[in-house]
């Protein structure tokens, strides 16, 4: 066999190795496609799991996300963040009154006195 000779060329092993490589390549492509699909359907599955009130919106955003990927990110945000709870929390923070401790610390802060330098 020469230095540039190719092993298995023209033998039955050559065909078998080509078949194994082809099956491996197709298997890898299928695994990547299934993984992509499962990740892409994550917002819909989460919405169904939480019995989200906006399942239809999340489904549409997920499908549009195949074309415009930023829309898929919006679908993930809508699916994982409960809008009603978030708005309620923001409203409660907005309407929150200062506690007595906060008022007391504000009242106890010393006022800065004007210092005049008369020579």
């Amino acid at each position: 066999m020469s230095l540039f000779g190719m092993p298995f060329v023209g033998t039955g092993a050559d065909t078998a190795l080509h078949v194994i490589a082809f099956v491996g390549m197709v298997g890898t492509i299928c695994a990547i496609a299934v993984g992509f699909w499962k990740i892409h359907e994550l917002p819909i599955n989460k919405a169904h799991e939480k019995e989200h009130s906006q399942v239809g919106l999340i489904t549409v955003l997920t499908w549009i996300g195949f074309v415009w990927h930023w829309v898929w990110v919006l679908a993930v945000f809508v699916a994982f963040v409960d809008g009603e709870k978030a708005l309620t929390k923001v409203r409660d923070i907005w309407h929150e009154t200062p506690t007595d401790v906060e008022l007391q610390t504000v009242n106890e802060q010393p006022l800065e006195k004007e210092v005049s330098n008369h020579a």
Side-chain angles (χ1 to χ4, degrees), residues 23 29-30 36 49 51 65 89 95 100 102:
V23 169
I29 291 171
C30 288
F36 178 76
E49 178 184 308
E51 296 179 1
K89 183 69 175 170
H95 292 296
D100 293 334
E102 290 173 347

Side-chain angles (χ1 to χ4, degrees), residues 82-97:
D82 188 358
E84 291 180 33
K85 286 183 183 176
L87 287 175
T88 301
K89 183 69 175 170
V90 169
R91 184 196 65 210
D92 291 344
I93 290 171
W94 183 265
H95 292 296
E96 184 178 80
T97 58

